[in-house]
Amino acid sequence: NGLVPFRTNSKVEDYDAPILERLQPPVEEWLRSFHDAELVITDSFHACVFSIIFRKPFICIGNKGRGSARFESLLSMFGLEDRLVDISDIDDVPLSPINWQYVEEILLQKKEAAIAFIKNSLDK
């Protein structure tokens, strides 16, 4: 897509990397990376969540070692199952536009249900 790639997280999985390369960025910097991104490619569940919150086009790379069920559950909730891809298919991912209006409607419904649940729980 002609975009300039950048990486926000450190090389935390590489225990042989020098300690300065394994330090995680501050939360503010990590969140800012979503604001600045035009496209997010990740194998992180939380990065998928924040991509949705910040309305950023994204691709989730399935990682069976970290568990794919939560990705599938999250993405199916918003009709975004096509965003979950296998690493071997990463070059052939069609980036269809995301219906953000639909996503926002679902988010609002989920938020209202969560608030109702909390209020109900506190009233007991």
Side-chain angles (χ1 to χ4, degrees), residues 9-123:
N9 281 4
S10 68
K11 298 177 183 176
V12 68
E13 295 89 8
D14 182 359
Y15 294 109
D16 294 327
I19 189 70
L20 291 178
E21 290 183 23
R22 291 188 280 141
L23 294 175
Q24 293 292 357
V27 172
E28 298 86 352
E29 183 179 326
W30 189 79
L31 289 172
R32 178 65 189 225
S33 68
F34 291 96
H35 179 271
D36 294 345
E38 293 182 48
L39 172 67
V40 176
I41 301 174
T42 185
D43 70 346
S44 160
F45 174 79
H46 291 93
C48 290
V49 170
F50 281 102
S51 296
I52 291 169
I53 290 171
F54 288 116
R55 299 178 69 153
K56 295 296 180 173
F58 66 96
I59 298 169
C60 294
I61 300 169
N63 183 333
K64 298 205 186 301
R66 294 174 77 179
S68 60
R70 59 188 181 153
F71 289 95
E72 293 163 1
S73 177
L74 172 72
L75 297 174
S76 66
M77 187 183 312
F78 299 104
L80 298 172
E81 298 91 339
D82 64 332
R83 299 284 150 174
L84 182 60
V85 300
D86 187 85
I87 190 66
S88 62
D89 299 329
I90 196 70
D91 292 327
D92 300 320
V93 176
L95 281 178
S96 57
I98 295 174
N99 182 345
W100 290 114
Q101 182 177 349
Y102 176 76
V103 170
E104 290 292 328
E105 289 171 13
I106 301 298
L107 277 172
L108 182 60
Q109 291 171 11
K110 297 295 182 184
K111 179 181 176 181
E112 289 171 351
I115 291 170
F117 174 81
I118 290 170
K119 285 181 178 179
N120 185 42
S121 297
L122 292 174
D123 287 342

